[in-house]
Every structure is written in structure tokens, then in C-alpha cells.
């Protein structure tokens, strides 16, 4: 008897060979808190000693699994414990920059594409280590190439730290486009995200785990395009089935890499992530459902249907769901999202509306380099409010383009794609954004006890 | 058994099956299943191959098969059977 019918084999081959199905990221997440020291020199050398044994095996393990399975693994990433914790005894921004640079060097030396964890959790207030990290943000990201960072400025449990949001807005505006692309302000960020820039080693995790993120919009778009006359329930079911298969590939790769490294397998992020390649677009799925352009009326409905189907299909495919697990709608990293922004179909208002049903928020959208901080902070705060009101993770990743005007395009290249400068509107001062303090937690907090 | 799936796609011509099978035989890789069709002059073939007694690993075999594919003017892909097990079986 045949193990698999030629049709079954053909289906997988079509996904892997012709629909850009690949593994977007394998992220090794390591507890780096044992490297905390009282002076920066010792801390950096302890950090290197701690990470080196992992890193020596990591890239080879990823390459070995990719070769064995015949599946592309696009990036190998490292996540470390939030660097703000390491900065608690140090308390100086210049130390934060030194640590940032050494992590960047380590990543480069060991073939790690990105390292995440230059992060602070400040949703209810700023500690000594957080302060050092916040002050170092623009310098640290401007002087590195592979470092990812975030500031978690809001949580359902504690509210929205508006001071931190405003500082994050000012920090973004002092970053080069290449640096801003590696930074997000986040709300409710989970501990096992394999995606940059939200990846970090959470406090609830063992010493090392492997988390996985899949890509696969092309697979789902092909399914949707083949179902032109299907009703919505049938369409939902077909997406669910495809999402199951996509997620299973992530589960397989995660288990194999974890086994190679002798560490625990963590979670698969159910999110279907796009890339700038043709045929690898979430917007392509939405348009295949029957939208003239991503961002047109109906986009929230289409995204909701897609996200729900992905979650339901993915839930059975992996033993551990993790990360953000929704749809990713980064504007520049998705060729059709970028086109929609260029044509004006996609605005910040439509992205905000779509944030209610996705898990990225406003991601990889260009803004003019001279944007008013009030407006940037207020836009970020809007997304923070959505995240806390809906009790879900969301983030904002904006890329300021020097001299950029709405409609201009800036090439970041690689997975980052083409950044389109979008219109932030006509206001330059928003006094609300400058009110200091913390927005109290929403009623969700009371329900949690 | 360690099974891999060898898939071949391209314009039909004489010697494709022989060319691919020859590489497998040379490395002691045993074909356990084969399905092959030609539709509108497009040749397609899927082989399930046991490499547990082969003298190369999957990456080495893939490299040689891709090379043979180039000579024959067809595309060859090699995947571990686990990919199909995970994606097609619950």
C-alpha cells in the first residue's frame, strides 16, 4: 500500500516549491539573567561565556534540519532576557549601548540573523534598568545591525504608561530607518514570541527553548483563489485546513531543531507572516477573498475571517501555541500591503481598525522623518488602547524616513521590504499625548480578580 | 527505514527515470515506491526512497540528484518523509 497518494505528495510539493511555504524564523530563546554583573565589562564577558556554547551549535543545527527536511529556514534568531534587567545594577545608558553592540557582534560572529531582547517592560512605571535602556534606545539601535528591541508600554493588567509611549515616540524619531525597523512599542507582549522585534526570553521560561514562526501566505492565497464561488463558511474551512498544514511544518521544524540542540521545544507562532517576495502576501489573501485592495471597506471582515481560520486550523496542528498567533500585516514586508499604502487604499485609520482583529497592530509603516512627536505618540497610544481594551498583544513599528513625504518609498531591502511613507494627518500638536501618567487598567483587570 | 521523497518535474525526454535511478542505485538507496506520469509532454515522477543503507546522507543525495536533474533538464527536489507525515497525517 502507498504511504501517500501522489496527490498528497503533490500538494505538499506545491506548497513548498511553488507557494513560498517556508519557516520564517527559528528563534533560540536563552535565559541570560545568570550573566548579570555589577560592572559592564564583567557583564558582557559573562554574557558571551553563557551564549557561546549555544551559539556554536545553533546555526549548524538549523542548517542541518533545513537540509534534512528539504525545507527553507529563512532566518535563525536569538532571543535573550530583557536587557533592562541586566541594566538594573548598572543603571547607565552607555552601558546599555555597550551591551547592545556586544550582542550584535555575537550574532554576526555566529551567523545569527537577528538578536532580540533589547527590551524593557514599563507598562506601569520605569525602574533604574528600564531608564538606562530607554535613554540608550536610539544610540543602541543606530549603532547595531542585527539587534531588535521593544518597549512594552501597556498591559491589560496595569494600563498604559503614556510617559513611556511618548519617550518611545521620541526615540523612534531619532532612529535611522534601518534601526527603527528593529524597534516596536508593544502592549501585552507574550514571553515566547519568535518574531522580531518582540522576541525576548520571558521570565516564565526554562533556560533555553526553541520557538518557531512559519510563513505561508502564498499557500493560503492559492487556496482562496481556487474557491472563487465558495460561500464564506466553506472558504473559512479551506483556510483552516491549509493553516493546519502550514503550522504542522513549523511544529516539525521546531521539534527537530530543539532535538539537535538538546533544548526544549517551545511554541509555534500560528501567525501567517508575509515577506516582500511576490506570492507571499497576506494582503494577497485578503484581495483574493474579494477586496479591490487591502485597506478597502471589508478589510476588517476579511482579516477577521482569515485570522479566525488560522487560529482554529493551527490550534490542532501544534502542541504549544505561542507568540502572537494572529495575522501579520507589516506594510513594508508585504509587497501588496506596500502597494496599497502607496495608492492610498491603506491609511493609519484602516490599519488601526484592522488591529482590532490582527495581532501586529501598526507594523512597518513609514512616516515623515520630521513628524511631530505628539502625533506619533498619540498614534502609538491608540494601538495601546486597542490592545488593553481588547486584552490582546499589539505593537507599533514605525519607520521615520528623513525628508520623506506621504507616498515616498524607501528601500530597506531583505525581509524588511519597501517602506511607504504614510500620511499622519494635519495635526501637529496633540496636548492629550503630552499629559503624563498611566492610564488605569480596563475592566478586564477586575474580571481577572 | 529512513524514507525520503524524490520528486522530478520537467519536459519529457528519454532517460529521466534511468538517470535518477542510476544515482540512487550508485549510493545504495532503495526505491520503495514510484509513481510517474506524462501529461502534455510534462514529465512528473515521485519516488519514495529508503536511504537507511545508503552511503550518503540526505543533503549529499540531494546535491547529486539536483546535478543529475540539471543534466537531464528537469527539476529535482528531495524532502524527508516526515514533512509529508506531519502535513498530511494527524
Amino acid at each position: 500500500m502507498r504511504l501517500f497518494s501522489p496527490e498528497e505528495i503533490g500538494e505538499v510539493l506545491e506548497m513548498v516549491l511553488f507557494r513560498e511555504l517556508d519557516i520564517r524564523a527559528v528563534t533560540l530563546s536563552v535565559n541570560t539573567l545568570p550573566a548579570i554583573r555589577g560592572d559592564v565589562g564583567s557583564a558582557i564577558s559573562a554574557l558571551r561565556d553563557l551564549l557561546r556554547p549555544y551559539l556554536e551549535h545553533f546555526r549548524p543545527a538549523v542548517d542541518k534540519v533545513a537540509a534534512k527536511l528539504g525545507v527553507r529556514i529563512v532566518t535563525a534568531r536569538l532571543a535573550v532576557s530583557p536587557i533592562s534587567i541586566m541594566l538594573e545594577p548598572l543603571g547607565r545608558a552607555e552601558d546599555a549601548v555597550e551591551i547592545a553592540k556586544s550582542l550584535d557582534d555575537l550574532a554576526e560572529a555566529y551567523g545569527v540573523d537577528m538578536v532580540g531582547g533589547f527590551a524593557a517592560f514599563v507598562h506601569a512605571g520605569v525602574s533604574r534598568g528600564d531608564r538606562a535602556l530607554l535613554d540608550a534606545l536610539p544610540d543602541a539601535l543606530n549603532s547595531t545591525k542585527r539587534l531588535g528591541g521593544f518597549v512594552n508600554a501597556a498591559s491589560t493588567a496595569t494600563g498604559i504608561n503614556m510617559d513611556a509611549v511618548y519617550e518611545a515616540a521620541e526615540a523612534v524619531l531619532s532612529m535611522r530607518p534601518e534601526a527603527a525597523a528593529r524597534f516596536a512599542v508593544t502592549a501585552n507582549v507574550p514571553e515566547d514570541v519568535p518574531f522580531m522585534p518582540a522576541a525576548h526570553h520571558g521570565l516564565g521560561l526554562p533556560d533555553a527553548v526553541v520557538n518557531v514562526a512559519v510563513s505561508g501566505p502564498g499557500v493560503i492565497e492559492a487556496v482562496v483563489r481556487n474557491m472563487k464561488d465558495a460561500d464564506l463558511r466553506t472558504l473559512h474551512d479551506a483556510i483552516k485546513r491549509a493553516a493546519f498544514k502550514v503550522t504542522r511544518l513549523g511544529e516539525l521544524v521546531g521539534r527537530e531543531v530543539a532535538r539537535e540542540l538538546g533544548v526544549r521545544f517551545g511554541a509555534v507562532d500560528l501567525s501567517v507572516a508575509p515577506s516582500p517576495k511576490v506570492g507571499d502576501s497576506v494582503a494577497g489573501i485578503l484581495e483574493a477573498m474579494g477586496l479591490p485592495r487591502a485597506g478597502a471597506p471589508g478589510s476588517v471582515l476579511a482579516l477577521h475571517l482569515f485570522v479566525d481560520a488560522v487560529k482554529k486550523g493551527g490550534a490542532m496542528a501544534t502542541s504549544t501555541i505561542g507568540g502572537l498567533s494572529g495575522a501579520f500585516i507589516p506594510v513594508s514586508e508585504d509587497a501588496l500591503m506596500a502597494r496599497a499604502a502607496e495608492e492610498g487604499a491603506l491609511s493609519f485609520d484602516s490599519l488601526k481598525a484592522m488591529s482590532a482583529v490582527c495581532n501586529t497592530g501598526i507594523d512597518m509603516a513609514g512616516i515623515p522623518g520630521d513628524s511631530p512627536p505628539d502625533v506619533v505618540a498619540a498614534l502609538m497610544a491608540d494601538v495601546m488602547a486597542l490592545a488593553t481594551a481588547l486584552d490582546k498583544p499589539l505593537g507599533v513599528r514605525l519607520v521615520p524616513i528623513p525628508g520623506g513625504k506621504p507616498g515616498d518609498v524607501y528601500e530597506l531591502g531583505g525581509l524588511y521590504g519597501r517602506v511607504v511613507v504614510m500620511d499622519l494627518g494635519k495635526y501637529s500638536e496633540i496636548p492629550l499625548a503630552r499629559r503624563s501618567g498611566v492610564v488605569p487598567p480596563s475592566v478586564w483587570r477586575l474580571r481577572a480578580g | 527505514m529512513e524514507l525520503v521523497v524524490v520528486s522530478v518535474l520537467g519536459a519529457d525526454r528519454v532517460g529521466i527515470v534511468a538517470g535518477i535511478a542510476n544515482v540512487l542505485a550508485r549510493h545504495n538507496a532503495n526505491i520503495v515506491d514510484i509513481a510517474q506520469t506524462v501529461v502534455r509532454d510534462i514529465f512528473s515522477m515521485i519516488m519514495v526512497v529508503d536511504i537507511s543503507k545508503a552511503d550518503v546522507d540526505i543533503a549529499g543525495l540531494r546535491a547529486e540528484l539536483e546535478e543529475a536533474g540539471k543534466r537531464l533538464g528537469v527539476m529535482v527536489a528531495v524532502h524527508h518523509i516526515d514533512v509529508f507525515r506531519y502535513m498530511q497525517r494527524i
Side-chain angles (χ1 to χ4, degrees), chain A residues 346-352 362 365-367 379 398 422-424:
Chain A
L346 202 61
S347 66
F348 279 117
D349 285 339
S350 52
L351 286 175
K352 275 192 263 188
I362 297 178
I367 53 171
L379 179 67
L398 299 172
M422 292 172 63
D423 190 359
L424 272 173

Side-chain angles (χ1 to χ4, degrees), chain A residues 124-429:
Chain A
V126 172
S127 70
R128 183 175 138 94
D130 298 333
R131 170 55 40 218
L133 189 125
L134 285 172
D135 289 345
L137 268 178
D139 264 3
L141 290 164
N142 281 338
S143 54
T144 51
K145 287 195 173 71
R146 300 178 185 220
L147 186 74
F150 66 89
V151 170
N152 196 69
S155 90
T156 304
T158 59
I160 304 164
N161 183 345
M162 198 57 216
D163 299 318
V165 172
Y166 205 94
E167 276 196 59
E170 289 180 312
V172 166
L173 289 170
S174 355
M175 287 180 203
R176 292 183 295 113
E178 291 77 9
R182 292 179 272 117
F183 173 78
V185 57
T186 61
N188 290 325
V189 73
E191 296 178 334
D192 51 9
V193 185
F195 283 110
M196 297 293 168
H200 68 289
H201 188 79
L203 294 179
L205 301 177
D207 277 329
V209 291
V210 169
N211 297 320
V212 168
V214 281
S215 167
V219 170
I220 294 174
E221 184 184 333
V223 167
V224 175
R225 287 209 184 279
N226 282 334
M227 305 193 68
K228 280 207 169 15
D229 303 317
D231 67 274
L232 292 170
R233 185 182 287 246
T234 310
L235 190 63
H236 181 278
D237 191 60
I239 296 172
K240 198 170 70 181
R241 285 164 192 273
F244 172 85
K245 290 173 185 177
V246 166
T247 310
R248 287 288 282 175
L249 185 64
E251 171 93 0
L252 172 62
V253 168
R255 283 180 184 278
E256 290 273 329
V257 175
R259 195 163 52 93
E260 281 293 327
L261 286 171
V263 306
R264 246 174 64 182
F265 170 51
V268 179
D269 190 312
L270 297 186
S271 307
V272 172
S275 81
K277 281 182 292 194
V278 172
D280 206 19
S281 159
V282 167
I285 298 169
L286 306 185
E287 294 180 7
M289 283 186 195
L291 291 177
R293 276 286 179 267
S299 296
V300 177
L301 168 69
L303 192 60
H304 164 67
L305 185 133
F306 169 56
V307 170
D308 189 66
V310 165
K311 286 189 182 189
K312 286 174 179 165
M316 188 162 165
T318 176
S319 55
T320 325
I321 299 155
L324 299 165
S325 291
F328 273 33
I329 49 167
V331 181
S332 75
E333 294 175 11
D334 183 317
L336 299 187
M337 288 287 282
R339 184 195 60 192
E342 232 175 313
E343 292 176 1
L346 202 61
S347 66
F348 279 117
D349 285 339
S350 52
L351 286 175
K352 275 192 263 188
M354 288 160 88
S355 297
V357 297
C358 79
N359 280 74
T360 34
I362 297 178
D363 198 23
M364 289 302 281
I367 53 171
D370 61 356
S371 298
D374 278 12
V375 179
V376 176
L379 179 67
M380 289 173 167
D382 278 346
V383 176
M384 300 294 104
L386 276 172
T388 54
L390 299 171
D391 190 25
K392 63 202 291 244
L394 283 176
V396 180
R397 187 161 48 147
L398 299 172
V399 184
I401 305 301
K405 301 206 168 34
D408 287 357
V409 172
Y410 183 90
E411 294 283 347
L412 275 173
L415 278 178
Y416 293 122
R418 304 170 72 225
V419 178
V420 180
V421 178
M422 292 172 63
D423 190 359
L424 272 173
K426 61 182 176 182
Y427 304 102
S428 58
E429 290 200 38

Side-chain angles (χ1 to χ4, degrees), chain A residues 2-4 6 8-9 11-13 15-17 21 67-70 244-245 248 251-252 255 316, chain B residues 3 5 7 33-35 46 58-59 62 75 77-90:
Chain A
R2 290 222 141 113
L3 284 168
F4 297 97
E8 286 176 316
I9 290 180
E11 185 192 20
V12 172
L13 291 175
M15 290 179 179
V16 174
L17 299 175
L21 177 57
K68 176 185 165 189
L69 299 177
F244 172 85
K245 290 173 185 177
R248 287 288 282 175
E251 171 93 0
L252 172 62
R255 283 180 184 278
M316 188 162 165
Chain B
L3 299 178
V5 175
S7 44
D33 192 4
I34 179 167
I46 294 166
I58 186 168
R62 181 183 295 118
M75 192 193 76
V78 181
H79 296 93
H80 197 275
I81 197 87
D82 281 352
V83 174
F84 303 88
R85 280 205 181 110
Y86 260 74
M87 292 177 70
Q88 295 291 18
R89 295 285 182 270
I90 298 175

Side-chain angles (χ1 to χ4, degrees), chain B:
Chain B
M1 281 210 286
E2 177 157 28
L3 299 178
V4 302
V5 175
V6 176
S7 44
V8 182
L9 193 67
D12 193 26
R13 57 169 279 185
V14 172
I16 300 175
V17 177
I20 299 296
N22 185 32
V23 175
L24 296 173
R26 202 164 64 229
H27 289 292
N28 203 34
N30 187 35
I31 300 168
V32 297
D33 192 4
I34 179 167
Q36 184 251 302
T37 53
V38 178
V39 179
R40 293 184 188 177
D41 293 332
I42 298 294
F43 172 94
S44 97
M45 175 169 72
I46 294 166
M47 288 169 157
V48 179
V49 177
D50 179 14
I51 60 163
S52 56
K53 296 194 175 66
D55 59 11
V56 284
D57 66 1
I58 186 168
L61 188 64
R62 181 183 295 118
E64 281 203 41
L65 287 172
E66 282 174 355
E67 197 50 48
K70 259 183 217 154
R71 283 197 300 274
L72 295 162
V74 292
M75 192 193 76
V76 184
V78 181
H79 296 93
H80 197 275
I81 197 87
D82 281 352
V83 174
F84 303 88
R85 280 205 181 110
Y86 260 74
M87 292 177 70
Q88 295 291 18
R89 295 285 182 270
I90 298 175

Side-chain angles (χ1 to χ4, degrees), chain A residues 80-84 87 96-97 99-100 103 115-120 132-134 136-137 140-141 147-151 183 197 199-200:
Chain A
V80 299
S81 305
I83 292 299
S84 63
L87 291 168
V97 176
I99 292 172
L103 281 173
V115 48
F118 196 77
L133 189 125
L134 285 172
L137 268 178
L141 290 164
L147 186 74
F150 66 89
V151 170
F183 173 78
H200 68 289

